[in-house]
Amino acid sequence: MENNRPPSESCSIKFSWLVAPDHKRENDSDWKIADSPFDPLQYQKQTEGFDKSIAYLKDLYSTAGPFDGILGFSQGAAMAALVCLHQQKLRGEMEFRFAILCSGFAVNMNNCQQGSINVPSLHIFGNDKGKDRQIESQASRHLASVFENGCSVVIEHDFGHIIPTRPPYIEQIKEFLKRFM
């Protein structure tokens, strides 16, 4: 059964790290049914908003940090990857030892060469068989490729747009994290 109802009253604010350049900011509490069918490639158009998002993250880091790592899922992984890309500029303001990027994709990284981001990273995403309907597996593979090969780990799974929590994937995630304990 299809649910065409907007979220409940308790979910009154919409958030995103990045938006399309033609995004028109509407009242944050207004939810409406989309005018067109879901576009599985919409993430490729969401390229604006980094400055506002990084300002938010810097503020969060200064009040709640420091943190050992940064974790992002889907668009959050794209934002976390941008933070990794800008790590040199962020020294002293926001530092971390590793990144976990789940179902991620590269945004505003056209000038990044393979292996150019030197942050230990774990990339988790659905493989071709997993049929992630939100982020193409090739987009996640490309994101992984811009991280230095010697310090990145890739976990591909068959479950689509999720972070797997069962064996053998959870053991691989634990193994990555043990490096930072």
Side-chain angles (χ1 to χ4, degrees), residues 100-134:
I100 300 176
L101 308 173
C102 307
S103 296
F105 55 95
V107 145
N108 299 336
M109 293 183 155
N110 295 338
N111 296 329
C112 269
Q113 296 180 10
Q114 188 169 345
S116 62
I117 300 176
N118 184 13
V119 172
S121 57
L122 175 61
H123 303 265
I124 305 168
F125 55 90
N127 59 24
D128 295 331
K129 182 179 170 190
K131 295 182 175 65
D132 184 335
R133 294 183 303 156
Q134 277 72 40

Side-chain angles (χ1 to χ4, degrees), residues 35-92:
D35 297 329
S36 58
F38 173 69
D39 176 5
L41 301 179
Q42 69 182 353
Y43 67 91
Q44 295 174 347
K45 301 170 194 158
Q46 297 168 336
T47 58
E48 303 292 319
F50 175 77
D51 292 336
K52 188 172 182 179
S53 292
I54 197 68
Y56 173 81
L57 290 173
K58 285 179 184 178
D59 183 56
L60 179 68
Y61 191 90
S62 71
T63 58
F67 301 103
D68 289 326
I70 185 168
L71 178 141
F73 178 78
S74 198
Q75 189 187 72
M79 183 63 195
L82 285 170
V83 171
C84 292
L85 175 66
H86 295 281
Q87 68 175 346
Q88 294 298 329
K89 293 183 213 173
L90 296 170
R91 289 254 187 259

Side-chain angles (χ1 to χ4, degrees), residues 15 34 55 68 79 143 156 159:
F15 293 97
D68 289 326
M79 183 63 195
L143 176 61
E156 293 189 38
F159 305 110

Side-chain angles (χ1 to χ4, degrees), residues 143-162:
L143 176 61
S145 78
V146 299
F147 282 77
E148 188 176 311
N149 192 29
C151 62
S152 66
V153 175
V154 172
I155 298 174
E156 293 189 38
H157 58 80
D158 297 340
F159 305 110
H161 199 65
I162 68 158

